[in-house]
Amino acid sequence: MVKLSNEMVEDFAKMRIFPFATASKNGEPNVIPIGFCKLQEDRETIWIADNYFYKTRHNLEENPRGAIYVWGPEIKGCYQIKGDFVIKTDGEDYENMYKTVKKMGDRFPAKALAVMKITEVYECKSGDAAGKQLL
C-alpha cells in the first residue's frame, strides 16, 4: 500500500468536505461530498462513514475502488487519492467509527464504515505535472 507524505497529511487534515468518486461495475460514475473522511495513523488507510450512501454503497459493493480529491484555499497541494475498499458493519473499527460519528450528532446514522487502502496518489495541479503519479 501507499503512505501519504508529511505535506499530504497536513493538507488532508485541513479538508472539511471531500469529493468522493465511485463507479458501478458497468462504469457509471458517481461523486458525492463526504464530511467524515479520516486518515488513519498508518497514513495508508482512510475511514469514510456511510451516513447517507445509496449509489455509492451499491458501487462499492460491485466495484470496491474509489477516489477522493484533496484541494482547497488553505492547501498547498492538489491530490487525487485512489484506493481499494472494504465495507464493515461490525467489529472494532466499525464501533470506533460509530462512536466518533455519533458524537458529531444523532442525525448521522453511521450505517457502515468504508475502509480505503490507498493504492495511488496523483497530482491535480495544472501544468506539466498534471495527472502525474506521485505515489
Side-chain angles (χ1 to χ4, degrees), residues 22 28 59 64-65 68 72-73 84 92 110 125:
T22 60
E28 186 65 31
N59 286 352
R65 295 271 301 154
I68 62 169
D84 297 322
E92 185 178 350
K125 285 185 180 176

Side-chain angles (χ1 to χ4, degrees), residues 98-133:
Y98 184 88
K99 290 175 189 173
T100 303
V101 169
K102 287 300 186 178
K103 287 179 188 174
M104 297 165 49
D106 277 337
R107 70 184 186 277
F108 300 115
K111 297 182 283 187
L113 171 62
V115 179
M116 174 196 238
K117 285 295 186 181
I118 300 169
T119 58
E120 306 141 66
V121 179
Y122 293 89
E123 176 66 68
C124 291
K125 285 185 180 176
S126 60
D128 292 340
K132 178 183 173 191
Q133 187 169 356

Side-chain angles (χ1 to χ4, degrees), residues 79-98:
Y79 318 104
Q80 180 191 61
I81 302 172
K82 294 185 179 186
D84 297 322
F85 281 84
V86 172
I87 302 295
K88 296 184 178 188
T89 57
D90 58 21
E92 185 178 350
D93 289 345
Y94 169 77
E95 293 299 327
N96 288 335
M97 176 278 302
Y98 184 88

Side-chain angles (χ1 to χ4, degrees), residues 9-133:
V9 170
E10 290 172 19
D11 287 344
F12 195 99
K14 294 175 186 171
M15 290 287 292
R16 296 295 164 244
I17 301 295
F18 293 80
F20 178 35
T22 60
S24 69
K25 69 179 177 183
N26 296 326
E28 186 65 31
N30 185 56
V31 64
I32 61 172
I34 295 295
F36 186 93
C37 186
K38 305 294 182 199
L39 180 65
Q40 300 304 292
E41 287 185 31
D42 66 6
R43 300 172 146 201
E44 62 187 34
T45 306
I46 297 171
W47 285 7
I48 300 174
D50 171 2
N51 285 308
Y52 304 109
F53 290 0
Y54 177 69
K55 288 182 279 185
T56 297
R57 177 74 176 270
H58 185 73
N59 286 352
L60 290 173
E61 288 169 353
E62 287 187 347
N63 176 15
R65 295 271 301 154
I68 62 169
Y69 187 71
V70 177
W71 181 80
E74 306 90 30
I75 294 171
K76 298 174 191 169
C78 183
Y79 318 104
Q80 180 191 61
I81 302 172
K82 294 185 179 186
D84 297 322
F85 281 84
V86 172
I87 302 295
K88 296 184 178 188
T89 57
D90 58 21
E92 185 178 350
D93 289 345
Y94 169 77
E95 293 299 327
N96 288 335
M97 176 278 302
Y98 184 88
K99 290 175 189 173
T100 303
V101 169
K102 287 300 186 178
K103 287 179 188 174
M104 297 165 49
D106 277 337
R107 70 184 186 277
F108 300 115
K111 297 182 283 187
L113 171 62
V115 179
M116 174 196 238
K117 285 295 186 181
I118 300 169
T119 58
E120 306 141 66
V121 179
Y122 293 89
E123 176 66 68
C124 291
K125 285 185 180 176
S126 60
D128 292 340
K132 178 183 173 191
Q133 187 169 356

